[in-house]
PDB file of all heavy atoms in Angstrom:
ATOM      1  N   VAL A   1       0.843  -1.201   0.000  1.00 95.00           N
ATOM      2  CA  VAL A   1       0.000   0.000   0.000  1.00 95.00           C
ATOM      3  C   VAL A   1       0.875   1.246   0.000  1.00 95.00           C
ATOM      4  O   VAL A   1       0.658   2.193  -0.767  1.00 95.00           O
ATOM      5  CB  VAL A   1      -0.944  -0.006   1.221  1.00 95.00           C
ATOM      6  CG1 VAL A   1      -1.637   1.348   1.367  1.00 95.00           C
ATOM      7  CG2 VAL A   1      -1.982  -1.117   1.082  1.00 95.00           C
ATOM      8  N   GLU A   2       1.887   1.247   0.845  1.00 93.00           N
ATOM      9  CA  GLU A   2       2.768   2.406   0.943  1.00 93.00           C
ATOM     10  C   GLU A   2       3.561   2.615  -0.339  1.00 93.00           C
ATOM     11  O   GLU A   2       3.742   3.740  -0.806  1.00 93.00           O
ATOM     12  CB  GLU A   2       3.725   2.223   2.121  1.00 93.00           C
ATOM     13  CG  GLU A   2       4.696   3.385   2.302  1.00 93.00           C
ATOM     14  CD  GLU A   2       5.640   3.172   3.475  1.00 93.00           C
ATOM     15  OE1 GLU A   2       5.541   2.100   4.118  1.00 93.00           O
ATOM     16  OE2 GLU A   2       6.451   4.055   3.746  1.00 93.00           O
ATOM     17  N   CYS A   3       4.025   1.529  -0.924  1.00 91.00           N
ATOM     18  CA  CYS A   3       4.885   1.620  -2.102  1.00 91.00           C
ATOM     19  C   CYS A   3       4.114   2.037  -3.352  1.00 91.00           C
ATOM     20  O   CYS A   3       4.618   2.798  -4.169  1.00 91.00           O
ATOM     21  CB  CYS A   3       5.583   0.282  -2.330  1.00 91.00           C
ATOM     22  SG  CYS A   3       6.808   0.300  -3.637  1.00 91.00           S
ATOM     23  N   THR A   4       2.893   1.527  -3.503  1.00 93.00           N
ATOM     24  CA  THR A   4       2.123   1.815  -4.712  1.00 93.00           C
ATOM     25  C   THR A   4       1.266   3.066  -4.598  1.00 93.00           C
ATOM     26  O   THR A   4       0.903   3.663  -5.607  1.00 93.00           O
ATOM     27  CB  THR A   4       1.201   0.635  -5.055  1.00 93.00           C
ATOM     28  OG1 THR A   4       0.260   0.434  -3.975  1.00 93.00           O
ATOM     29  CG2 THR A   4       2.003  -0.648  -5.267  1.00 93.00           C
ATOM     30  N   GLY A   5       0.913   3.454  -3.363  1.00 93.00           N
ATOM     31  CA  GLY A   5       0.014   4.584  -3.187  1.00 93.00           C
ATOM     32  C   GLY A   5      -1.439   4.248  -3.461  1.00 93.00           C
ATOM     33  O   GLY A   5      -2.287   5.146  -3.483  1.00 93.00           O
ATOM     34  N   LEU A   6      -1.739   2.956  -3.637  1.00 95.00           N
ATOM     35  CA  LEU A   6      -3.116   2.532  -3.898  1.00 95.00           C
ATOM     36  C   LEU A   6      -3.843   2.308  -2.581  1.00 95.00           C
ATOM     37  O   LEU A   6      -3.233   2.108  -1.534  1.00 95.00           O
ATOM     38  CB  LEU A   6      -3.117   1.232  -4.718  1.00 95.00           C
ATOM     39  CG  LEU A   6      -2.432   1.289  -6.083  1.00 95.00           C
ATOM     40  CD1 LEU A   6      -2.390  -0.103  -6.706  1.00 95.00           C
ATOM     41  CD2 LEU A   6      -3.149   2.262  -7.017  1.00 95.00           C
ATOM     42  N   ALA A   7      -5.162   2.329  -2.641  1.00 95.00           N
ATOM     43  CA  ALA A   7      -5.966   2.086  -1.450  1.00 95.00           C
ATOM     44  C   ALA A   7      -5.773   0.642  -0.971  1.00 95.00           C
ATOM     45  O   ALA A   7      -5.617  -0.272  -1.781  1.00 95.00           O
ATOM     46  CB  ALA A   7      -7.440   2.340  -1.745  1.00 95.00           C
ATOM     47  N   ARG A   8      -5.810   0.458   0.331  1.00 96.00           N
ATOM     48  CA  ARG A   8      -5.588  -0.873   0.902  1.00 96.00           C
ATOM     49  C   ARG A   8      -6.563  -1.922   0.356  1.00 96.00           C
ATOM     50  O   ARG A   8      -6.125  -3.022  -0.019  1.00 96.00           O
ATOM     51  CB  ARG A   8      -5.679  -0.787   2.429  1.00 96.00           C
ATOM     52  CG  ARG A   8      -5.311  -2.092   3.138  1.00 96.00           C
ATOM     53  CD  ARG A   8      -5.502  -1.960   4.636  1.00 96.00           C
ATOM     54  NE  ARG A   8      -5.118  -3.171   5.331  1.00 96.00           N
ATOM     55  CZ  ARG A   8      -3.906  -3.401   5.824  1.00 96.00           C
ATOM     56  NH1 ARG A   8      -2.958  -2.493   5.680  1.00 96.00           N
ATOM     57  NH2 ARG A   8      -3.629  -4.540   6.457  1.00 96.00           N
ATOM     58  N   PRO A   9      -7.883  -1.640   0.276  1.00 95.00           N
ATOM     59  CA  PRO A   9      -8.784  -2.663  -0.282  1.00 95.00           C
ATOM     60  C   PRO A   9      -8.443  -3.010  -1.727  1.00 95.00           C
ATOM     61  O   PRO A   9      -8.574  -4.166  -2.137  1.00 95.00           O
ATOM     62  CB  PRO A   9     -10.166  -2.000  -0.174  1.00 95.00           C
ATOM     63  CG  PRO A   9     -10.019  -0.973   0.893  1.00 95.00           C
ATOM     64  CD  PRO A   9      -8.630  -0.455   0.773  1.00 95.00           C
ATOM     65  N   THR A  10      -7.988  -2.021  -2.501  1.00 96.00           N
ATOM     66  CA  THR A  10      -7.626  -2.276  -3.896  1.00 96.00           C
ATOM     67  C   THR A  10      -6.415  -3.198  -3.973  1.00 96.00           C
ATOM     68  O   THR A  10      -6.399  -4.170  -4.739  1.00 96.00           O
ATOM     69  CB  THR A  10      -7.317  -0.954  -4.619  1.00 96.00           C
ATOM     70  OG1 THR A  10      -8.482  -0.130  -4.597  1.00 96.00           O
ATOM     71  CG2 THR A  10      -6.909  -1.200  -6.064  1.00 96.00           C
ATOM     72  N   VAL A  11      -5.390  -2.909  -3.177  1.00 96.00           N
ATOM     73  CA  VAL A  11      -4.190  -3.741  -3.182  1.00 96.00           C
ATOM     74  C   VAL A  11      -4.521  -5.161  -2.739  1.00 96.00           C
ATOM     75  O   VAL A  11      -4.072  -6.143  -3.343  1.00 96.00           O
ATOM     76  CB  VAL A  11      -3.105  -3.136  -2.271  1.00 96.00           C
ATOM     77  CG1 VAL A  11      -1.909  -4.070  -2.165  1.00 96.00           C
ATOM     78  CG2 VAL A  11      -2.665  -1.774  -2.798  1.00 96.00           C
ATOM     79  N   HIS A  12      -5.334  -5.274  -1.701  1.00 96.00           N
ATOM     80  CA  HIS A  12      -5.687  -6.611  -1.202  1.00 96.00           C
ATOM     81  C   HIS A  12      -6.455  -7.397  -2.259  1.00 96.00           C
ATOM     82  O   HIS A  12      -6.179  -8.587  -2.489  1.00 96.00           O
ATOM     83  CB  HIS A  12      -6.529  -6.473   0.067  1.00 96.00           C
ATOM     84  CG  HIS A  12      -6.897  -7.801   0.683  1.00 96.00           C
ATOM     85  ND1 HIS A  12      -8.086  -8.449   0.419  1.00 96.00           N
ATOM     86  CD2 HIS A  12      -6.199  -8.614   1.528  1.00 96.00           C
ATOM     87  CE1 HIS A  12      -8.117  -9.594   1.070  1.00 96.00           C
ATOM     88  NE2 HIS A  12      -6.998  -9.713   1.756  1.00 96.00           N
ATOM     89  N   ARG A  13      -7.403  -6.753  -2.905  1.00 96.00           N
ATOM     90  CA  ARG A  13      -8.210  -7.449  -3.919  1.00 96.00           C
ATOM     91  C   ARG A  13      -7.351  -7.893  -5.112  1.00 96.00           C
ATOM     92  O   ARG A  13      -7.434  -9.050  -5.566  1.00 96.00           O
ATOM     93  CB  ARG A  13      -9.332  -6.526  -4.395  1.00 96.00           C
ATOM     94  CG  ARG A  13     -10.291  -7.193  -5.395  1.00 96.00           C
ATOM     95  CD  ARG A  13     -11.444  -6.283  -5.743  1.00 96.00           C
ATOM     96  NE  ARG A  13     -11.007  -5.125  -6.525  1.00 96.00           N
ATOM     97  CZ  ARG A  13     -10.905  -3.885  -6.054  1.00 96.00           C
ATOM     98  NH1 ARG A  13     -11.194  -3.641  -4.787  1.00 96.00           N
ATOM     99  NH2 ARG A  13     -10.513  -2.892  -6.824  1.00 96.00           N
ATOM    100  N   LEU A  14      -6.511  -7.001  -5.623  1.00 96.00           N
ATOM    101  CA  LEU A  14      -5.688  -7.337  -6.780  1.00 96.00           C
ATOM    102  C   LEU A  14      -4.621  -8.366  -6.419  1.00 96.00           C
ATOM    103  O   LEU A  14      -4.365  -9.293  -7.192  1.00 96.00           O
ATOM    104  CB  LEU A  14      -5.032  -6.073  -7.334  1.00 96.00           C
ATOM    105  CG  LEU A  14      -5.980  -5.048  -7.966  1.00 96.00           C
ATOM    106  CD1 LEU A  14      -5.213  -3.816  -8.413  1.00 96.00           C
ATOM    107  CD2 LEU A  14      -6.732  -5.663  -9.139  1.00 96.00           C
ATOM    108  N   ALA A  15      -4.000  -8.214  -5.247  1.00 95.00           N
ATOM    109  CA  ALA A  15      -2.973  -9.168  -4.848  1.00 95.00           C
ATOM    110  C   ALA A  15      -3.566 -10.567  -4.675  1.00 95.00           C
ATOM    111  O   ALA A  15      -2.944 -11.563  -5.055  1.00 95.00           O
ATOM    112  CB  ALA A  15      -2.294  -8.707  -3.559  1.00 95.00           C
ATOM    113  N   SER A  16      -4.761 -10.658  -4.122  1.00 95.00           N
ATOM    114  CA  SER A  16      -5.411 -11.961  -3.956  1.00 95.00           C
ATOM    115  C   SER A  16      -5.686 -12.609  -5.306  1.00 95.00           C
ATOM    116  O   SER A  16      -5.513 -13.823  -5.472  1.00 95.00           O
ATOM    117  CB  SER A  16      -6.719 -11.795  -3.172  1.00 95.00           C
ATOM    118  OG  SER A  16      -6.470 -11.304  -1.870  1.00 95.00           O
ATOM    119  N   ALA A  17      -6.117 -11.794  -6.286  1.00 95.00           N
ATOM    120  CA  ALA A  17      -6.360 -12.330  -7.626  1.00 95.00           C
ATOM    121  C   ALA A  17      -5.068 -12.789  -8.279  1.00 95.00           C
ATOM    122  O   ALA A  17      -5.023 -13.837  -8.946  1.00 95.00           O
ATOM    123  CB  ALA A  17      -7.040 -11.259  -8.492  1.00 95.00           C
ATOM    124  N   LEU A  18      -3.983 -12.041  -8.076  1.00 95.00           N
ATOM    125  CA  LEU A  18      -2.696 -12.424  -8.651  1.00 95.00           C
ATOM    126  C   LEU A  18      -2.157 -13.695  -8.004  1.00 95.00           C
ATOM    127  O   LEU A  18      -1.507 -14.509  -8.658  1.00 95.00           O
ATOM    128  CB  LEU A  18      -1.701 -11.270  -8.499  1.00 95.00           C
ATOM    129  CG  LEU A  18      -1.995 -10.038  -9.355  1.00 95.00           C
ATOM    130  CD1 LEU A  18      -1.112  -8.869  -8.931  1.00 95.00           C
ATOM    131  CD2 LEU A  18      -1.806 -10.344 -10.829  1.00 95.00           C
ATOM    132  N   VAL A  19      -2.421 -13.887  -6.709  1.00 93.00           N
ATOM    133  CA  VAL A  19      -2.038 -15.132  -6.044  1.00 93.00           C
ATOM    134  C   VAL A  19      -2.826 -16.305  -6.639  1.00 93.00           C
ATOM    135  O   VAL A  19      -2.269 -17.379  -6.879  1.00 93.00           O
ATOM    136  CB  VAL A  19      -2.276 -15.031  -4.522  1.00 93.00           C
ATOM    137  CG1 VAL A  19      -2.169 -16.404  -3.865  1.00 93.00           C
ATOM    138  CG2 VAL A  19      -1.284 -14.067  -3.883  1.00 93.00           C
ATOM    139  N   HIS A  20      -4.115 -16.090  -6.878  1.00 92.00           N
ATOM    140  CA  HIS A  20      -4.955 -17.148  -7.449  1.00 92.00           C
ATOM    141  C   HIS A  20      -4.409 -17.635  -8.787  1.00 92.00           C
ATOM    142  O   HIS A  20      -4.426 -18.837  -9.082  1.00 92.00           O
ATOM    143  CB  HIS A  20      -6.383 -16.626  -7.627  1.00 92.00           C
ATOM    144  CG  HIS A  20      -7.296 -17.595  -8.317  1.00 92.00           C
ATOM    145  ND1 HIS A  20      -7.857 -18.682  -7.677  1.00 92.00           N
ATOM    146  CD2 HIS A  20      -7.729 -17.659  -9.612  1.00 92.00           C
ATOM    147  CE1 HIS A  20      -8.594 -19.367  -8.529  1.00 92.00           C
ATOM    148  NE2 HIS A  20      -8.536 -18.770  -9.711  1.00 92.00           N
ATOM    149  N   HIS A  21      -3.905 -16.705  -9.593  1.00 91.00           N
ATOM    150  CA  HIS A  21      -3.376 -17.064 -10.911  1.00 91.00           C
ATOM    151  C   HIS A  21      -1.875 -17.346 -10.886  1.00 91.00           C
ATOM    152  O   HIS A  21      -1.260 -17.489 -11.941  1.00 91.00           O
ATOM    153  CB  HIS A  21      -3.672 -15.938 -11.905  1.00 91.00           C
ATOM    154  CG  HIS A  21      -5.133 -15.824 -12.239  1.00 91.00           C
ATOM    155  ND1 HIS A  21      -5.810 -16.769 -12.989  1.00 91.00           N
ATOM    156  CD2 HIS A  21      -6.051 -14.880 -11.913  1.00 91.00           C
ATOM    157  CE1 HIS A  21      -7.077 -16.408 -13.119  1.00 91.00           C
ATOM    158  NE2 HIS A  21      -7.254 -15.274 -12.472  1.00 91.00           N
ATOM    159  N   ARG A  22      -1.280 -17.402  -9.669  1.00 90.00           N
ATOM    160  CA  ARG A  22       0.113 -17.761  -9.458  1.00 90.00           C
ATOM    161  C   ARG A  22       1.108 -16.723  -9.986  1.00 90.00           C
ATOM    162  O   ARG A  22       2.279 -17.011 -10.166  1.00 90.00           O
ATOM    163  CB  ARG A  22       0.439 -19.141 -10.053  1.00 90.00           C
ATOM    164  CG  ARG A  22      -0.331 -20.252  -9.364  1.00 90.00           C
ATOM    165  CD  ARG A  22       0.134 -21.638  -9.764  1.00 90.00           C
ATOM    166  NE  ARG A  22      -0.146 -21.936 -11.155  1.00 90.00           N
ATOM    167  CZ  ARG A  22       0.785 -22.048 -12.089  1.00 90.00           C
ATOM    168  NH1 ARG A  22       2.062 -21.900 -11.792  1.00 90.00           N
ATOM    169  NH2 ARG A  22       0.456 -22.325 -13.328  1.00 90.00           N
ATOM    170  N   PHE A  23       0.640 -15.504 -10.265  1.00 92.00           N
ATOM    171  CA  PHE A  23       1.579 -14.433 -10.594  1.00 92.00           C
ATOM    172  C   PHE A  23       2.251 -13.926  -9.321  1.00 92.00           C
ATOM    173  O   PHE A  23       3.355 -13.399  -9.370  1.00 92.00           O
ATOM    174  CB  PHE A  23       0.859 -13.287 -11.302  1.00 92.00           C
ATOM    175  CG  PHE A  23       0.502 -13.608 -12.732  1.00 92.00           C
ATOM    176  CD1 PHE A  23      -0.758 -14.050 -13.068  1.00 92.00           C
ATOM    177  CD2 PHE A  23       1.446 -13.486 -13.737  1.00 92.00           C
ATOM    178  CE1 PHE A  23      -1.092 -14.356 -14.364  1.00 92.00           C
ATOM    179  CE2 PHE A  23       1.135 -13.803 -15.054  1.00 92.00           C
ATOM    180  CZ  PHE A  23      -0.143 -14.236 -15.372  1.00 92.00           C
ATOM    181  N   LEU A  24       1.578 -14.070  -8.194  1.00 94.00           N
ATOM    182  CA  LEU A  24       2.155 -13.788  -6.890  1.00 94.00           C
ATOM    183  C   LEU A  24       1.996 -15.027  -6.020  1.00 94.00           C
ATOM    184  O   LEU A  24       1.183 -15.903  -6.302  1.00 94.00           O
ATOM    185  CB  LEU A  24       1.468 -12.602  -6.199  1.00 94.00           C
ATOM    186  CG  LEU A  24       1.507 -11.235  -6.873  1.00 94.00           C
ATOM    187  CD1 LEU A  24       0.881 -10.189  -5.967  1.00 94.00           C
ATOM    188  CD2 LEU A  24       2.911 -10.843  -7.263  1.00 94.00           C
ATOM    189  N   SER A  25       2.772 -15.067  -4.924  1.00 91.00           N
ATOM    190  CA  SER A  25       2.652 -16.138  -3.949  1.00 91.00           C
ATOM    191  C   SER A  25       2.871 -15.526  -2.571  1.00 91.00           C
ATOM    192  O   SER A  25       3.070 -14.319  -2.448  1.00 91.00           O
ATOM    193  CB  SER A  25       3.676 -17.245  -4.245  1.00 91.00           C
ATOM    194  OG  SER A  25       3.506 -18.328  -3.351  1.00 91.00           O
ATOM    195  N   ARG A  26       2.786 -16.353  -1.523  1.00 91.00           N
ATOM    196  CA  ARG A  26       3.025 -15.894  -0.153  1.00 91.00           C
ATOM    197  C   ARG A  26       4.161 -16.710   0.439  1.00 91.00           C
ATOM    198  O   ARG A  26       4.214 -17.940   0.248  1.00 91.00           O
ATOM    199  CB  ARG A  26       1.766 -16.062   0.711  1.00 91.00           C
ATOM    200  CG  ARG A  26       0.507 -15.430   0.146  1.00 91.00           C
ATOM    201  CD  ARG A  26       0.528 -13.925   0.190  1.00 91.00           C
ATOM    202  NE  ARG A  26       0.363 -13.398   1.525  1.00 91.00           N
ATOM    203  CZ  ARG A  26      -0.824 -13.118   2.066  1.00 91.00           C
ATOM    204  NH1 ARG A  26      -1.942 -13.328   1.393  1.00 91.00           N
ATOM    205  NH2 ARG A  26      -0.890 -12.602   3.282  1.00 91.00           N
ATOM    206  N   ASP A  27       5.075 -16.044   1.136  1.00 89.00           N
ATOM    207  CA  ASP A  27       6.154 -16.784   1.775  1.00 89.00           C
ATOM    208  C   ASP A  27       5.719 -17.265   3.159  1.00 89.00           C
ATOM    209  O   ASP A  27       4.554 -17.089   3.554  1.00 89.00           O
ATOM    210  CB  ASP A  27       7.440 -15.950   1.833  1.00 89.00           C
ATOM    211  CG  ASP A  27       7.306 -14.725   2.744  1.00 89.00           C
ATOM    212  OD1 ASP A  27       6.297 -14.620   3.476  1.00 89.00           O
ATOM    213  OD2 ASP A  27       8.212 -13.872   2.727  1.00 89.00           O
ATOM    214  N   VAL A  28       6.627 -17.889   3.906  1.00 87.00           N
ATOM    215  CA  VAL A  28       6.269 -18.484   5.198  1.00 87.00           C
ATOM    216  C   VAL A  28       5.839 -17.430   6.216  1.00 87.00           C
ATOM    217  O   VAL A  28       5.167 -17.742   7.193  1.00 87.00           O
ATOM    218  CB  VAL A  28       7.452 -19.302   5.767  1.00 87.00           C
ATOM    219  CG1 VAL A  28       7.727 -20.512   4.898  1.00 87.00           C
ATOM    220  CG2 VAL A  28       8.704 -18.444   5.898  1.00 87.00           C
ATOM    221  N   ARG A  29       6.212 -16.170   5.998  1.00 90.00           N
ATOM    222  CA  ARG A  29       5.809 -15.087   6.888  1.00 90.00           C
ATOM    223  C   ARG A  29       4.555 -14.375   6.402  1.00 90.00           C
ATOM    224  O   ARG A  29       4.141 -13.382   6.988  1.00 90.00           O
ATOM    225  CB  ARG A  29       6.960 -14.080   7.025  1.00 90.00           C
ATOM    226  CG  ARG A  29       8.192 -14.663   7.705  1.00 90.00           C
ATOM    227  CD  ARG A  29       9.394 -13.729   7.631  1.00 90.00           C
ATOM    228  NE  ARG A  29       9.091 -12.408   8.170  1.00 90.00           N
ATOM    229  CZ  ARG A  29       9.941 -11.389   8.122  1.00 90.00           C
ATOM    230  NH1 ARG A  29      11.128 -11.549   7.548  1.00 90.00           N
ATOM    231  NH2 ARG A  29       9.606 -10.217   8.630  1.00 90.00           N
ATOM    232  N   GLY A  30       3.934 -14.890   5.341  1.00 92.00           N
ATOM    233  CA  GLY A  30       2.706 -14.299   4.844  1.00 92.00           C
ATOM    234  C   GLY A  30       2.921 -13.122   3.923  1.00 92.00           C
ATOM    235  O   GLY A  30       1.959 -12.499   3.474  1.00 92.00           O
ATOM    236  N   ARG A  31       4.176 -12.797   3.594  1.00 93.00           N
ATOM    237  CA  ARG A  31       4.447 -11.678   2.711  1.00 93.00           C
ATOM    238  C   ARG A  31       4.230 -12.085   1.257  1.00 93.00           C
ATOM    239  O   ARG A  31       4.343 -13.256   0.896  1.00 93.00           O
ATOM    240  CB  ARG A  31       5.876 -11.176   2.903  1.00 93.00           C
ATOM    241  CG  ARG A  31       6.186 -10.682   4.304  1.00 93.00           C
ATOM    242  CD  ARG A  31       7.659 -10.342   4.443  1.00 93.00           C
ATOM    243  NE  ARG A  31       8.501 -11.505   4.172  1.00 93.00           N
ATOM    244  CZ  ARG A  31       9.832 -11.490   4.183  1.00 93.00           C
ATOM    245  NH1 ARG A  31      10.459 -10.355   4.435  1.00 93.00           N
ATOM    246  NH2 ARG A  31      10.512 -12.583   3.936  1.00 93.00           N
ATOM    247  N   TYR A  32       3.938 -11.099   0.429  1.00 94.00           N
ATOM    248  CA  TYR A  32       3.751 -11.359  -0.996  1.00 94.00           C
ATOM    249  C   TYR A  32       5.116 -11.446  -1.679  1.00 94.00           C
ATOM    250  O   TYR A  32       6.035 -10.684  -1.380  1.00 94.00           O
ATOM    251  CB  TYR A  32       2.918 -10.255  -1.641  1.00 94.00           C
ATOM    252  CG  TYR A  32       1.476 -10.253  -1.193  1.00 94.00           C
ATOM    253  CD1 TYR A  32       1.054  -9.405  -0.177  1.00 94.00           C
ATOM    254  CD2 TYR A  32       0.544 -11.107  -1.762  1.00 94.00           C
ATOM    255  CE1 TYR A  32      -0.266  -9.407   0.258  1.00 94.00           C
ATOM    256  CE2 TYR A  32      -0.780 -11.114  -1.349  1.00 94.00           C
ATOM    257  CZ  TYR A  32      -1.175 -10.260  -0.339  1.00 94.00           C
ATOM    258  OH  TYR A  32      -2.484 -10.270   0.089  1.00 94.00           O
ATOM    259  N   VAL A  33       5.228 -12.391  -2.622  1.00 91.00           N
ATOM    260  CA  VAL A  33       6.442 -12.552  -3.423  1.00 91.00           C
ATOM    261  C   VAL A  33       6.019 -12.841  -4.864  1.00 91.00           C
ATOM    262  O   VAL A  33       4.875 -13.197  -5.138  1.00 91.00           O
ATOM    263  CB  VAL A  33       7.326 -13.706  -2.903  1.00 91.00           C
ATOM    264  CG1 VAL A  33       7.859 -13.406  -1.517  1.00 91.00           C
ATOM    265  CG2 VAL A  33       6.553 -15.033  -2.893  1.00 91.00           C
ATOM    266  N   ILE A  34       6.958 -12.667  -5.787  1.00 90.00           N
ATOM    267  CA  ILE A  34       6.698 -12.995  -7.185  1.00 90.00           C
ATOM    268  C   ILE A  34       6.388 -14.486  -7.297  1.00 90.00           C
ATOM    269  O   ILE A  34       7.082 -15.323  -6.725  1.00 90.00           O
ATOM    270  CB  ILE A  34       7.911 -12.631  -8.057  1.00 90.00           C
ATOM    271  CG1 ILE A  34       8.132 -11.112  -8.064  1.00 90.00           C
ATOM    272  CG2 ILE A  34       7.721 -13.147  -9.477  1.00 90.00           C
ATOM    273  CD1 ILE A  34       7.005 -10.323  -8.692  1.00 90.00           C
ATOM    274  N   GLY A  35       5.347 -14.829  -8.055  1.00 87.00           N
ATOM    275  CA  GLY A  35       4.907 -16.209  -8.159  1.00 87.00           C
ATOM    276  C   GLY A  35       5.570 -16.986  -9.273  1.00 87.00           C
ATOM    277  O   GLY A  35       6.263 -16.443 -10.135  1.00 87.00           O
ATOM    278  N   SER A  36       5.339 -18.282  -9.269  1.00 81.00           N
ATOM    279  CA  SER A  36       5.999 -19.181 -10.211  1.00 81.00           C
ATOM    280  C   SER A  36       5.497 -19.023 -11.639  1.00 81.00           C
ATOM    281  O   SER A  36       6.188 -19.387 -12.586  1.00 81.00           O
ATOM    282  CB  SER A  36       5.803 -20.631  -9.763  1.00 81.00           C
ATOM    283  OG  SER A  36       4.419 -20.940  -9.654  1.00 81.00           O
ATOM    284  N   ARG A  37       4.289 -18.477 -11.796  1.00 82.00           N
ATOM    285  CA  ARG A  37       3.758 -18.346 -13.158  1.00 82.00           C
ATOM    286  C   ARG A  37       4.620 -17.416 -14.005  1.00 82.00           C
ATOM    287  O   ARG A  37       4.811 -17.657 -15.210  1.00 82.00           O
ATOM    288  CB  ARG A  37       2.321 -17.814 -13.106  1.00 82.00           C
ATOM    289  CG  ARG A  37       1.642 -17.733 -14.472  1.00 82.00           C
ATOM    290  CD  ARG A  37       1.559 -19.091 -15.126  1.00 82.00           C
ATOM    291  NE  ARG A  37       0.950 -19.037 -16.437  1.00 82.00           N
ATOM    292  CZ  ARG A  37       1.330 -19.806 -17.456  1.00 82.00           C
ATOM    293  NH1 ARG A  37       2.313 -20.676 -17.294  1.00 82.00           N
ATOM    294  NH2 ARG A  37       0.731 -19.714 -18.612  1.00 82.00           N
ATOM    295  N   LEU A  38       5.166 -16.375 -13.399  1.00 80.00           N
ATOM    296  CA  LEU A  38       6.027 -15.462 -14.142  1.00 80.00           C
ATOM    297  C   LEU A  38       7.299 -16.175 -14.589  1.00 80.00           C
ATOM    298  O   LEU A  38       7.796 -15.934 -15.698  1.00 80.00           O
ATOM    299  CB  LEU A  38       6.373 -14.247 -13.280  1.00 80.00           C
ATOM    300  CG  LEU A  38       5.234 -13.238 -13.077  1.00 80.00           C
ATOM    301  CD1 LEU A  38       5.677 -12.127 -12.135  1.00 80.00           C
ATOM    302  CD2 LEU A  38       4.803 -12.640 -14.404  1.00 80.00           C
ATOM    303  N   ALA A  39       7.813 -17.035 -13.734  1.00 71.00           N
ATOM    304  CA  ALA A  39       9.009 -17.799 -14.114  1.00 71.00           C
ATOM    305  C   ALA A  39       8.691 -18.745 -15.276  1.00 71.00           C
ATOM    306  O   ALA A  39       9.513 -18.929 -16.186  1.00 71.00           O
ATOM    307  CB  ALA A  39       9.535 -18.583 -12.919  1.00 71.00           C
TER     308      ALA A  39
END
């Protein structure tokens, strides 16, 4: 949210969708990371 300047609900909604499609993933601490689909 801080880095993009987007609203928190917007970031959460888009990040969840990107996780669903494997463009993003979550690490063991729950942080967002680049997902395997991009690789």
Side-chain angles (χ1 to χ4, degrees):
V1 170
E2 180 180 2
C3 186
T4 62
L6 300 174
R8 186 183 182 92
T10 299
V11 174
H12 182 266
R13 184 175 68 254
L14 293 177
S16 297
L18 291 169
V19 168
H20 175 78
H21 290 290
R22 296 190 293 110
F23 286 97
L24 299 185
S25 184
R26 307 289 287 270
D27 66 10
V28 293
R29 295 171 55 185
R31 299 174 300 178
Y32 291 97
V33 295
I34 295 296
S36 57
R37 184 60 181 144
L38 287 176

